[in-house]
Amino acid sequence: MLKNNPVMKKLVETGEERVGKLAQQLLSNEKFVAAVQGLVSRSLAAKGTLDSALRTALSAMNLPSTADLEQLRSKVDDLERLLASVEGKLDTLVSNTSSKKKA
């Protein structure tokens, strides 16, 4: 109902236009862009510090980190592939042995 209202359409169009102009002005302002880049940089540094502290805390409590779990998952996947390979070879060996006994 509001979507078909011409007044609402005009308000939305005007709002979109003003927001677009504001975004363009902000992105053309070097100080604003530098401030955003600095904020992102500091946020990433803080995340790195937090990740490191979390790994240390988990290690102190003898708990695995996400990286430890991923490494374990990789090893389990490798073992599953190896086991499937051995199983396939064993099946081939058993079927060859069975065929020779029948002949």
Side-chain angles (χ1 to χ4, degrees), residues 1 6 8 12 20-21 24-25 29 32 36 39 53 56 59 79 81 83-84 90 95 101 103:
M1 183 172 173
M8 284 302 294
V12 169
K21 285 180 182 178
Q24 186 177 12
Q25 287 175 346
N29 184 332
F32 176 79
V36 169
L39 180 64
T56 302
S59 177
L79 285 172
R81 282 191 290 276
L83 184 58
L90 186 58
S95 74
K101 285 184 180 179

Side-chain angles (χ1 to χ4, degrees), residues 15-77:
E16 287 175 348
E17 183 180 320
R18 288 186 180 178
V19 168
K21 285 180 182 178
L22 177 62
Q24 186 177 12
Q25 287 175 346
L26 287 173
L27 292 175
S28 65
N29 184 332
E30 290 180 25
K31 287 183 181 180
F32 176 79
V33 172
V36 169
Q37 287 174 339
L39 180 64
V40 169
S41 177
R42 287 189 302 275
S43 296
L44 291 174
K47 183 187 180 309
T49 302
L50 177 65
D51 287 346
S52 176
L54 185 57
R55 278 193 303 275
T56 302
L58 288 172
S59 177
M61 292 185 286
N62 202 25
L63 294 172
S65 68
T66 304
D68 294 334
L69 293 176
E70 287 299 321
Q71 187 178 18
L72 183 60
R73 168 60 66 194
S74 176
K75 287 181 180 182
V76 168
D77 290 343

Side-chain angles (χ1 to χ4, degrees), residues 84-103:
S85 173
V86 168
E87 186 179 18
K89 290 176 182 177
L90 186 58
D91 288 344
T92 303
L93 183 62
V94 168
S95 74
N96 287 344
T97 305
S98 300
S99 348
K100 288 180 183 178
K101 285 184 180 179
K102 290 181 183 178

